[in-house]
């Protein structure tokens, strides 16, 4: 889009909507700009005559621009470089990480702690540094998780940098008729530049003169063959025509001069770069899930906190006390360790994937693969081996299939025929030839002449290969079973059929012929001149046809099959020709056997294409030209109606449009690709997968995941791991959420019934951030309960990470049991030390009275404040121990959601076993390490109090086994609906 | 429009007239869930009550199962004053009247008449042990008399104002009750000793202890709990400041001296010791 365009649009918008705020306008402008980027490049610089070109850019095709004018243009257009988009400043990004829903709550809690501590200091009665510790810990948790998130984001942003590597440093420019070497960023539109083999093209240029110039366009279009650049305009599309060379492509050989028609961000590569950096990074499904439930948790925490704040005020507590209650409830209810747990679980899976050659750049992408429902795969290099391989041969009037496997392990054809030897010889002698990709241009058959090895035979052998019909024109005989037979109509027809058949397979067909030159006419030492053609080039003997294809990788058909069983749709999006694309698609199973396109049905039924019902066709091949004319609704329809889709001849913009269309239909889209041209789509996709070996830096930077071995089959592994981690995260979160209830209830009881506080905030933080982290992470090592690769991908709208059943079951059932366990142990510890349950009720104000040094217990004994405080710490510890014991039962039941724990096996997950041992050891250390009472409020409790919560632990386990049994036995029942999470 | 949709969505969620669902559930569905949770929580509460009941059964009525926190009994003074500060002006009756009244009411159960009527005159200088025989509980247990008159000048009997009006105030120190505690080994009775804190060494002046030497007689131990020993009168020690420096703040710390009570608990300022601030203002 040019500057004037954007300006016009801007003006128009102003008129339509005069009073929209400026900010909004800017936003819309940016969006519009992005939209227009998606449209195809529309220039005619390649079609106009050189004179017109000179006029347009006020330049000369011999002398170039004048230096002064060039300077003016430079000032007008800006330097010839890729401008990185204005990003959000780093500190804003970091601040954003610190201001999530939970984080804000924790900030509030920390501030309340500070205020409470400050008030205590100003009153001069420091009863302890608990509040200070608490505040510092809370802030530390927020900052550390923030750093985690920031680091994640930081790693995956630097996209434009990779494009910069593509841009040349220096360029040879002709200004004022003088050749100068200048920095490429000083080039302007209209400059006359010279490129030679090895250079990178310094801008988009219209070629004026060329001598055997060839460029490598693979990074832009995906075509792997060198492309000839010449002054003629050969195609109306600027991407296809030969007289335009693109910025950043490499000139492989030859020399050319040209006039610059576009610089900087207005070049093709510049557009791709701004497209890639401009499309927003989609939020990963797991990020959406986590945000979704973090919001709920934060909401509930505020709700609980506020309710009890009001209740406390109503009961008659002081404002500050009520604030502290609010803070404590927030601390108790918010799962502080959860974000860390999720991150660790994801990175464990990422590590596991890395061992299988999938490097995950963005941690959250690990899960995205699991929920992927559509894979848009590039063809070349991903599905195929990216090397032209002989697929079929036609000789002796038979089509023979060649072995195309990577390691040549397949079946080979019968090689005994005499004709095969002749054909093989021609093919091996002629193999410095270059195949012409554009069949419509006249191919010059390649030929070469060789002496025979047989010393008795002094004849020269002339061999030739080329486009089959051209070769056939020059032949008068055909080699059949070693015999030269005259090439009559019958053979010609056979040739035509074979040629059509092979072409129909999407293969590139070459014809081969040879002739033994007459030794009298061409004795040894004869100088052959290919320019003058001073030798026989007709009446040759046709040897056969060889067709070639870039064959699919061996593992791909199987992987595609697995994707299908896993309910994932594989769509091919390629820059290649429709026929080839279709052939490969059929080969790897993207178009399954028996599937027909609308065109196929039309030819089969012999009816016009328009009469075919679109829904009858399972498969559909759409090429870039058709796609250009389709509206987005039509594209959506096509994607909806045809389960098997192939897109051919697509441009980078179109790839992006296809991805967007899939996303509109509610799919989670994975895109695989390797070229620069794939980078916008990779970025837009929910998960972009770049090829590690063939992939360009731009693609790798835009992607979330890199396949080190370029193997499509690795994606299937990724899907499996992604699904597994989703299930396991569910278990982990269920485990983590459960204990929030036994952490919360002590406060609720404390506020409403006024018992001495059963569980302190610091102890809660120890549960959240120390003892329970390892077990919740260990659930990530749990094996799958069923064959997850036979299930459909999850529906992102329905199958949530945290659903109602999970929360309700964790909170109101298991959490409730744990609370009862805690209170049983609490009351036991209190009663055994002399405070009977009924005395505890309403005791709070006396219990916490610092001046009261002789409070009587149930036996008439008198306690000092400090003695009561240590008793309170004992209660904290006892409650802590109860939660730990119940959490061990909890982690055991969370191993499975449906299967019995006995079916899953208790010891198969070694990490989980060691996590339980670790949890117990840490619990014991906290309880019995000297000094703990005064630092962290843990008391060395009596051993028997460890066993009080045990019945509740057993209850949890037994109850959950009953639940799972009922869920297994009665699928779809009320029980299943309400209690299966 | 989107806003309206969302509003409708919420409305629909709250009450969906088509499916007759309230908050995503029909009445019968809510009923079922309610019944389920009712049963669930009744079961849980039952289990809780059962375990609590079993636990309470194991408790002894007369002796706590554990006394982990009570190794060192607390000390406390009467009158308590404000935040352990006794500050008054000698000439200003109102400023010390509250202290006198606090002492009066504190000491009223120790009136000689009450003690003689309710309690037993035990043999002094030895523990008054009343062991239970194996099966028969020796309840209720008798308590020893602690007659107010033992406190002599600080009893409030001879000096109605406990010396407050003269600038020679009495402070009564009591030892927290702990069941089964036998302070003092080898027949040596525990005693109270008061000393000024470092800065105030010469300001405190002389102190008189009542009973003599500030001892708690051994016969008041052990304590058998408020159920078995209803009328237990815990022993007291009174101290009288005889010539305290007026118009200055004096920090006094009283400790129990007993050979089997550790009184060096850094954290607990009231275990085996008590500190208070004393300031008597006077115009002359």
């Amino acid at each position: 889009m040019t500057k004037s365009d954007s300006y016009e649009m801007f003006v128009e918008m102003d008129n339509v909507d005069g009073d929209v705020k400026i900010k909004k306008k800017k936003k819309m402008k940016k969006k519009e700009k992005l939209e227009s980027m998606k449209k195809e490049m529309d220039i005619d610089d390649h079609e106009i005559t050189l004179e017109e070109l000179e006029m347009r850019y006020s330049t000369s095709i011999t002398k170039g621009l004048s230096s002064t004018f060039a300077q003016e243009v430079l000032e007008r257009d800006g330097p010839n470089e890729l401008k990185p988009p204005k990003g959000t400043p780093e500190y804003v990004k970091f601040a954003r990480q610190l201001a999530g829903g939970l984080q804000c709550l924790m900030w509030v809690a920390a501030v309340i702690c500070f205020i409470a501590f400050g008030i205590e200091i100003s009153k001069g009665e420091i009863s302890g540094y608990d509040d200070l510790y608490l505040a510092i810990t809370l802030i530390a948790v927020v900052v550390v998780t923030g750093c985690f998130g920031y680091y994640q984001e930081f790693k995956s942003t630097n996209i434009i940098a990779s494009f910069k590597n593509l841009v040349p440093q220096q360029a040879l420019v002709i200004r004022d008729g003088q050749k100068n070497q200048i920095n490429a960023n000083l080039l302007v539109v209209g400059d006359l530049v010279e490129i030679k083999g090895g250079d990178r093209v310094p801008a988009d240029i219209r070629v004026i003169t060329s001598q055997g110039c060839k460029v490598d366009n693979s990074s832009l279009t995906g075509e792997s063959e060198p492309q000839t650049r010449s002054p003629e305009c050969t195609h109306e599309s600027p991407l296809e025509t030969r007289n335009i060379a693109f910025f950043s492509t490499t000139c492989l050989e030859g020399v050319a001069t040209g006039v610059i028609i576009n610089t900087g961000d207005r070049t093709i590569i510049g557009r791709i770069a701004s497209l890639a950096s401009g499309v927003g990074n989609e939020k990963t499904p797991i990020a959406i899930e986590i945000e979704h439930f973090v919001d709920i948790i934060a909401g509930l925490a505020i709700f609980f906190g506020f309710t009890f704040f009001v209740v406390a005020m109503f009961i008659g507590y002081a404002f500050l006390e009520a604030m502290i209650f609010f803070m404590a409830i927030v601390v108790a209810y918010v799962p502080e360790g959860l974000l860390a747990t999720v991150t660790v679980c994801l990175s464990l899976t990422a590590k596991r994937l890395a061992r299988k050659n999938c490097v995950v750049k963005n941690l959250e992408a690990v899960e995205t693969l699991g929920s992927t429902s559509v894979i848009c795969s590039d063809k070349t290099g991903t599905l195929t081996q990216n090397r032209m391989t002989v697929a079929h041969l036609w000789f002796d009037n038979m089509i023979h299939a060649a072995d195309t496997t990577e390691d040549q392990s397949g079946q080979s054809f019968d090689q005994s025929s005499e004709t095969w030897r002749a054909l093989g010889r021609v093919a091996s002698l002629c193999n410095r030839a270059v195949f012409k990709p554009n069949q419509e241009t006249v191919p010059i058959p390649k030929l070469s002449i060789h002496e025979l090895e047989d010393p008795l035979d002094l004849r020269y052998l002339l061999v030739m290969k080329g486009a089959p019909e051209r070769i056939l024109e020059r032949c008068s005989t055909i080699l059949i079973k070693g015999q030269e037979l005259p090439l009559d109509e019958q053979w010609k027809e056979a040739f035509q059929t074979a040629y059509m058949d092979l072409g129909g397979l999407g293969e590139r067909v070459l014809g081969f012929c040879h002739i033994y030159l007459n030794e009298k006419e061409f004795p040894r030492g004869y100088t052959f001149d290919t320019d003058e053609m001073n030798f026989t080039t007709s009446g040759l003997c046709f040897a056969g046809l060889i067709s070639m294809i870039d064959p699919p990788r061996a593992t791909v058909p199987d992987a595609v099959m697995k994707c299908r069983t896993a309910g994932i749709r594989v769509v091919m999006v390629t820059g290649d020709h429709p026929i080839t694309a279709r052939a490969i698609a059929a080969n790897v199973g993207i178009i399954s056997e028996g599937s027909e396109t609308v065109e196929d049905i039309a030819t089969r039924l012999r009816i016009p294409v328009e009469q075919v019902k679109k829904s009858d066709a399972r498969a559909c091949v759409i090429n870039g030209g058709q796609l250009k004319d389709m509206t987005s609704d039509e594209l959506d329809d096509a994607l909806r109606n045809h389960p098997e889709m192939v897109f051919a001849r697509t441009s980078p913009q179109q790839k992006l449009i296809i991805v967007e269309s899939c996303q509109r239909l509610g799919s989670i889209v994975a895109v695989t690709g390797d070229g620069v041209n794939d980078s916008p789509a990779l970025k837009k996709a929910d998960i972009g997968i770049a090829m590690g070996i063939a992939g360009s830096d731009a693609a790798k930077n835009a992607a979330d995941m890199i396949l080190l071995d370029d193997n499509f089959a690795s994606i299937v592994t990724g899907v499996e791991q992604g699904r597994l981690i989703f299930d396991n995260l569910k278990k982990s979160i269920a485990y983590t959420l459960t204990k929030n209830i036994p952490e919360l209830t002590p406060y609720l009881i404390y506020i409403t019934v006024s018992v001495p506080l059963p569980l302190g905030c610091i102890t809660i933080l120890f549960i959240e951030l120390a003892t329970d982290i390892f077990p919740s992470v260990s659930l990530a090592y749990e094996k799958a309960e069923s064959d997850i690769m036979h299930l459909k991908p999850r529906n992102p709208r329905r199958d949530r990470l945290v659903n109602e059943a999970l929360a309700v079951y964790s909170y109101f059932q298991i959490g409730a049991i744990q609370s009862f366990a805690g209170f049983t142990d609490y009351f036991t510890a209190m009663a055994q030390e002399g405070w009977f349950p009924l005395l505890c009720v309403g005791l709070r104000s006396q219990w916490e009275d610092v001046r009261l040094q002789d409070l009587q217990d149930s036996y008439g004994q008198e306690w000092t404040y400090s003695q009561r405080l240590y008793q309170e710490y004992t209660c904290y510890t006892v409650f802590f121990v109860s939660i730990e014991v119940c959490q061990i039962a909890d982690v055991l039941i969370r191993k499975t959601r449906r299967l019995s724990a006995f079916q899953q096996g208790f010891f198969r997950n070694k990490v989980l076993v060691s996590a339980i041992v670790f949890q117990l050891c840490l619990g014991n250390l906290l309880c019995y390490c000297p000094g703990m009472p005064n630092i962290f409020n843990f008391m060395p409790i009596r051993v028997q109090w460890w066993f009080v919560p045990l019945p509740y632990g057993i209850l949890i386990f037994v109850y959950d086994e009953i639940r799972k049994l009922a869920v297994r036995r009665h699928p779809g029942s009320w029980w299943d609906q309400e209690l299966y999470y | 429009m989107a806003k309206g949709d969302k509003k409708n969505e919420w409305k629909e969620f709250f009450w969906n007239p088509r499916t007759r669902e309230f908050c995503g559930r029909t009445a019968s569905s809510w009923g079922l869930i309610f019944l389920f949770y009712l049963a669930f929580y009744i079961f849980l509460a039952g289990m809780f009550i059962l375990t609590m009941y079993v636990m309470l059964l194991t408790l002894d009525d007369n002796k706590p199962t554990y006394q982990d926190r009570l190794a060192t009994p607390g000390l406390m003074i009467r009158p308590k004053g404000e935040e352990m500060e006794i500050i008054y002006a000698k000439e200003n009756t109102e400023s010390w009247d509250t202290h006198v009244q606090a002492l009066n009411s504190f000491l009223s159960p120790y009136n000689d008449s009450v003690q003689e009527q309710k309690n037993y005159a035990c043999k002094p200088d030895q523990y008054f042990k009343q062991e239970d025989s194996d099966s028969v509980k020796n309840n209720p247990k008798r308590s020893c008399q602690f007659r107010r008159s033992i406190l002599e000048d600080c009893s409030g009997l001879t000096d109605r104002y406990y010396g407050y009006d003269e600038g020679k105030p009495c402070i009564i120190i009591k030892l927290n009750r702990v069941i089964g505690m036998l302070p003092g080994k080898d027949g040596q009775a525990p005693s109270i000793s008061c000393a000024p804190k470092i800065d105030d060494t010469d300001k405190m002046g002389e102190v008189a202890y009542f009973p003599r030497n500030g001892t708690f007689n051994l016969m008041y131990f052990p304590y058998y709990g408020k159920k078995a020993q209803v009328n237990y009168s815990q022993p007291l020690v009174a101290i009288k400041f005889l010539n305290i420096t007026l118009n200055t703040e004096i920090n006094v710390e009283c400790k129990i001296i007993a050979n089997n009570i550790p009184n060096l608990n850094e954290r607990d300022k009231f275990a085996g010791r008590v500190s208070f601030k004393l300031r008597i203002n006077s115009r002359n």
Side-chain angles (χ1 to χ4, degrees), chain A residues 849-885:
Chain A
D849 187 346
V850 187
R851 278 161 293 179
L852 193 59
Q853 303 298 343
D854 45 6
L855 183 65
Q856 282 199 15
D857 67 12
S858 304
Y859 290 97
Q861 305 184 97
E862 291 169 323
W863 294 58
T864 65
Y865 173 74
S866 204
Q867 286 163 346
R868 296 196 302 269
L869 193 64
Y870 282 111
Q871 177 59 26
E872 192 174 308
Y873 292 166
T874 307
C875 293
Y876 295 177
T877 314
V878 156
F879 216 102
F880 164 81
V881 161
S882 308
I883 293 178
E884 290 312 294
V885 169

Side-chain angles (χ1 to χ4, degrees), chain A residues 101-164:
Chain A
L102 285 189
Q103 282 89 337
C104 282
L105 266 184
M106 278 152 86
W107 282 118
V108 172
V111 167
I112 294 175
C113 285
F114 273 130
I115 292 173
F117 185 69
I119 287 175
E120 271 184 16
I121 285 187
S122 65
K123 277 188 185 168
E125 43 171 85
I126 302 171
S127 59
Y129 292 93
D130 289 9
D131 283 333
L132 191 65
Y133 286 163
L134 205 58
I136 292 170
T137 320
L138 286 174
I139 292 172
V141 170
V142 173
V143 171
V144 168
T145 20
C147 288
F148 254 60
Y150 175 72
Y151 178 66
Q152 281 301 321
E153 198 184 338
F154 180 76
K155 274 202 302 187
S156 56
T157 40
N158 207 355
I159 282 204
I160 216 83
S162 55
F163 278 94
K164 285 215 165 126

Side-chain angles (χ1 to χ4, degrees), chain A residues 16-28:
Chain A
V16 175
D17 213 345
D19 53 2
V20 198
K21 284 194 176 126
I22 290 172
K23 213 172 176 184
K24 205 170 172 186
K25 256 188 282 180
K26 265 188 184 165
K27 220 176 186 176
M28 275 175 72

Side-chain angles (χ1 to χ4, degrees), chain B residues 72 131 165 225 232:
Chain B
T72 312
E131 298 299 327
D165 53 340
Y232 180 72

